[in-house]
Amino acid sequence: MPEGADGPVVPGARARCPAAVARGERGARTGVVARRQAVGARRVSRRVDRPGGGVEARPGRRRRTETASTMTKILFVCTGNTCRSPMAEAVLRHRVEREKLAVLVDSAGTTDLHAGSPPDPRARRVLARRGYPVPDHRARRVRPDDFHGFDLVLGATRGHVRELEALAPAGARARILPLLAFAPDIGVPDIPDPWSGGLADYEYALDLIERGVEGLMDELRRPPAGRTVTG
């Protein structure tokens, strides 16, 4: 087979000059670039300008994750934040996670007596007995910004409610109530402090917490517009 400058010459094939070959390669590259630009234009067309700059997703493609601004935020408060309030935090968190409700839960104390300490071992024990995950929590004192950042601040007793009302800064948006306001049928207004008692006292405190949380869950299951205290 005859040899040409660029390899074997196939009989009957039309020879192409180098300039034509170069023009063909440039045309192919131009076509690839045009296709890429068209794909990019389609992607941009799926987004719309956001007022103030940037872009946002077209309606119908919203993210499904809850944002902090759409969540109901609840803070439980007792004295030292090692017994009653972390137990209430554990119970409510377990319930809302199980039902996939958009609720943020935390706890604090009216004093810094046990600041930085984990929940009391007796509280941890009774929680574990009933199948509640023990919160990875360190005691802290309630802060002024809690009254702006939470929707509900729930005291273990009416005494805590009075303390919280005195601590709340002007213009605070949080509603301050005793937890057992959500269980009026039991006829017990306060959750007694189990700290100086034994496991039976912690069990009783947890009994009352569960009743209060049951009533609170009834409230949280309603649409926000139909809630009486958290809407």
Side-chain angles (χ1 to χ4, degrees):
M1 181 178 294
E3 294 286 337
D6 297 320
V9 176
V10 180
R14 296 181 61 185
R16 299 180 66 193
C17 69
V21 171
R23 286 195 298 273
E25 291 175 349
R26 284 197 299 272
R29 287 195 297 269
T30 300
V32 170
V33 171
R35 287 193 295 272
R36 288 176 177 170
Q37 290 174 340
V39 170
R42 286 196 296 272
R43 289 174 179 166
V44 171
S45 69
R46 292 173 183 169
R47 301 191 292 180
V48 296
D49 290 337
R50 176 188 300 169
V55 294
E56 64 181 0
R58 188 175 56 182
R61 299 177 65 87
R62 297 175 183 171
R63 294 180 63 184
R64 295 181 179 274
T65 54
E66 297 288 344
T67 64
S69 62
T70 63
M71 299 182 79
T72 299
K73 293 172 277 294
I74 299 174
L75 180 71
F76 293 105
V77 179
C78 64
T79 302
N81 193 210
T82 59
C83 301
R84 290 166 289 180
S85 57
M87 286 198 292
E89 176 188 347
V91 173
L92 182 61
R93 178 173 289 125
H94 179 70
R95 299 283 179 86
V96 298
E97 287 180 353
R98 186 174 62 189
E99 298 192 26
K100 296 180 173 57
L101 299 179
V103 179
L104 183 148
V105 189
D106 196 4
S107 64
T110 56
T111 72
D112 58 4
L113 183 63
H114 301 291
S117 299
D120 188 283
R122 295 163 292 181
R124 299 166 64 92
R125 185 172 177 182
V126 298
L127 285 170
R129 279 181 176 179
R130 300 195 194 184
Y132 295 110
V134 178
D136 182 16
H137 180 80
R138 292 294 181 270
R140 70 173 180 88
R141 187 177 185 182
V142 67
R143 300 183 296 261
D145 62 337
D146 288 329
F147 298 95
H148 295 286
F150 287 88
D151 301 294
L152 274 178
V153 177
L154 301 178
T157 68
R158 291 166 295 174
H160 291 119
V161 169
R162 289 191 291 271
E163 290 184 73
L164 291 165
E165 289 172 341
L167 290 170
R173 73 181 186 88
R175 185 83 179 273
I176 303 171
L177 294 168
L179 172 57
L180 293 184
F182 292 93
D185 57 310
I186 66 175
V188 180
D190 300 322
I191 302 169
D193 190 354
W195 188 79
S196 58
L199 283 178
D201 298 282
Y202 280 82
E203 294 280 4
Y204 178 60
L206 186 52
D207 288 340
L208 297 176
I209 288 168
E210 288 180 326
R211 294 296 299 275
V213 169
E214 285 174 11
L216 178 56
M217 286 294 295
D218 290 340
E219 174 80 3
L220 295 173
R221 292 186 188 103
R222 298 190 183 104
R227 295 176 185 172
T228 58
V229 295
T230 60

